[in-house]
Amino acid sequence: MSLRIDPFHAISVSGLAHRLKSEGRSVIHMEFGQPSTGAPKAAIEAAHKVLDSDPMGYWESPALKARIARHYKDKYGVEVAPNRITLTCGASPALVLALASSFSPGDRVALARPGYVAYRNTLKALHIEPVELACGANERYQLSAERIAALDPPPAGVIIASPANPTGTIIPADELEAIAKICRERNIKIVSDEIYHGLSYVEPARSMLEFEPNALVVNSFSKYFSMAGWRLGWLLSPPEHVKAAIAYMGALFLTPPSLAQHAALAAMDCEDELEGHIEVYRANRALLLEALPRLGLSAIAPPDGAFYIYADVAHLTDDSLGFCQRLLQDTGVATAPGVDFDPVEGRHFIRMSFAVSTPEIKEAISRLEPWFAAQAAASAE
């Protein structure tokens, strides 16, 4: 197994975007999966109060852990003990804790390709072998119970993401149940990345905990709660993994930011404001879905949730990184290359985030239409 960690190419695209912006260019940032909105108003107010009254320090908020536990009861009907929740510095450390506390070097963990680049890289960094399963349009870019059942020998674990990055696809409840069943039968541990929960447009995303109480669940305040810069997430572990997760958290990261924890507790009761963001994303999604055929982008992953369009551009390029760089240079619209998410077929794909304002989406479409028309004309010559 190669331990080489692949670069996150969207970061280099973003660096170019910021350089162009510093030169006076108009740039629309659709390369990263981060909301353009800030934290909820009540969260900001709570942070101001704490800054004036609390010196803060290393701390894990019991009130926030209890509130997250109540969230699972309210949203999914699942009873969760607060002590099963480990607060982390975002979802990335939560993924590290989940993998480090559950698997040993040399273990094999299956995951869908395309998938978030950090899955593959974190597994490699921990000397765990990623078993990437190619999942195309026919599979809706998602793992299935059938694919997991066919793995011989069975892997030690599997990473599930629904809604997924980069595709936005949601795994239906019956398929999640089937995945849980086959994993129990084959003694495969499940790591469920639920960071995009709350961001759904066709059906609500279901938690793996509804079907497998011993799944390890990764989540964050970065996406639905619009708090990416506050660096706060959590890992929900089965009881037998809690001590190991706490040990890894303390040794590697100490505690998450105290200020973020105070703000997040307030953010969890800002549903009306947060649902307003979803309506913006819903409108942006509709605008893009209407415009994509005019761009010649008819082969896309179904954006059931999250805030991404994963589009096939094989008719225009086999170098998605160079394509995104050229697109940015010519139009000022920053997108992410598919090679970040799929090192094999990703050279034919790009990802657009629609977590920006609706006026920005309209402006991006007006810039992209003539550019894609010109590319299609050039490729036809």
Side-chain angles (χ1 to χ4, degrees):
M1 177 183 65
S2 170
L3 296 178
R4 184 176 66 85
I5 299 299
D6 300 312
F8 194 0
H9 296 292
I11 293 176
S12 66
V13 173
S14 188
L16 174 59
H18 284 286
R19 287 197 297 275
L20 293 176
K21 191 171 184 178
S22 71
E23 295 167 4
R25 290 281 303 277
S26 170
V27 172
I28 301 173
H29 288 281
M30 300 173 67
E31 74 274 30
F32 283 153
Q34 60 182 16
S36 58
T37 50
K41 181 180 178 181
I44 299 293
E45 291 174 350
H48 279 296
K49 290 179 181 177
V50 171
L51 282 171
D52 291 336
S53 62
D54 188 340
M56 292 179 283
Y58 302 129
W59 177 64
E60 191 179 32
S61 169
L64 181 57
K65 292 169 70 171
R67 181 64 183 84
I68 293 171
R70 180 159 67 87
H71 169 78
Y72 282 94
K73 176 64 175 177
D74 294 344
K75 292 293 183 183
Y76 309 110
V78 175
E79 296 279 359
V80 171
N83 67 1
R84 289 177 57 190
I85 297 163
T86 304
L87 299 176
T88 61
C89 311
S92 297
L95 178 66
V96 171
L97 301 190
L99 298 176
S101 67
S102 304
F103 305 108
S104 299
D107 280 348
R108 299 164 64 250
V109 172
L111 61 158
R113 177 171 57 78
Y116 182 43
V117 62
Y119 303 153
R120 183 188 333 119
N121 282 343
T122 304
L123 287 167
K124 287 183 177 181
L126 294 171
H127 296 259
I128 300 166
E129 181 181 352
V131 180
E132 294 190 284
L133 303 179
C135 298
N138 291 338
E139 297 90 7
R140 300 184 77 254
Y141 302 94
Q142 282 283 12
L143 289 181
S144 65
E146 183 180 7
R147 293 293 298 279
I148 297 170
L151 292 173
D152 185 23
V158 63
I159 298 176
I160 300 295
S162 174
N165 178 10
T167 60
T169 52
I170 289 176
I171 302 175
D174 60 347
E175 189 62 37
L176 284 176
E177 186 174 21
I179 289 171
K181 181 174 183 293
I182 196 66
C183 286
R184 278 194 299 273
E185 291 173 354
R186 307 194 77 196
N187 196 31
I188 300 170
K189 294 175 183 175
I190 299 173
V191 177
S192 181
D193 183 353
E194 301 183 0
I195 191 172
Y196 294 101
H197 275 220
L199 305 174
S200 302
Y201 312 104
V202 295
E203 61 179 305
R206 302 286 292 273
S207 175
M208 182 55 83
L209 290 175
E210 298 177 61
F211 311 102
E212 177 45 70
N214 288 319
L216 293 106
V217 174
V218 171
N219 211 324
S220 168
F221 286 89
S222 293
K223 310 300 184 181
Y224 176 76
F225 293 99
S226 195
M227 296 179 66
W230 296 75
R231 307 314 306 135
L232 185 64
W234 71 87
L235 172 66
L236 204 160
S237 306
E240 65 271 21
H241 288 278
V242 171
K243 286 185 178 179
I246 291 172
Y248 275 108
M249 180 63 196
L252 298 178
F253 308 106
L254 291 178
T255 65
S258 295
L259 185 64
Q261 295 179 66
H262 286 291
L265 182 59
M268 294 199 76
D269 292 320
C270 295
E271 187 170 353
D272 288 346
E273 183 178 346
L274 295 168
E275 288 298 313
H277 297 167
I278 307 305
E279 292 310 307
V280 173
Y281 304 152
R282 190 186 306 278
N284 293 350
R285 172 181 178 270
L287 286 168
L288 283 170
L289 291 180
E290 191 273 333
L292 288 173
R294 299 198 302 272
L295 305 181
L297 303 181
S298 56
I300 66 167
D304 304 328
F307 30 55
Y308 302 121
I309 299 288
Y310 194 61
D312 189 336
V313 291
H315 59 297
L316 298 175
T317 188
D318 62 0
D319 175 14
S320 59
L321 176 57
F323 186 85
C324 288
Q325 291 168 336
R326 194 169 71 253
L327 171 62
L328 173 57
Q329 289 273 16
D330 292 349
T331 69
V333 178
T335 57
V339 287
D340 274 337
F341 314 103
D342 183 342
V344 179
E345 297 298 331
R347 68 188 188 278
H348 294 141
F349 288 82
I350 64 171
R351 189 196 73 179
M352 306 177 187
S353 169
F354 52 85
V356 295
S357 70
T358 300
E360 286 178 301
I361 288 290
K362 292 178 178 178
E363 175 62 22
I365 291 170
S366 72
R367 298 182 191 184
L368 294 176
E369 282 190 290
W371 191 86
F372 272 90
Q375 302 306 303
S379 65
E381 292 178 356

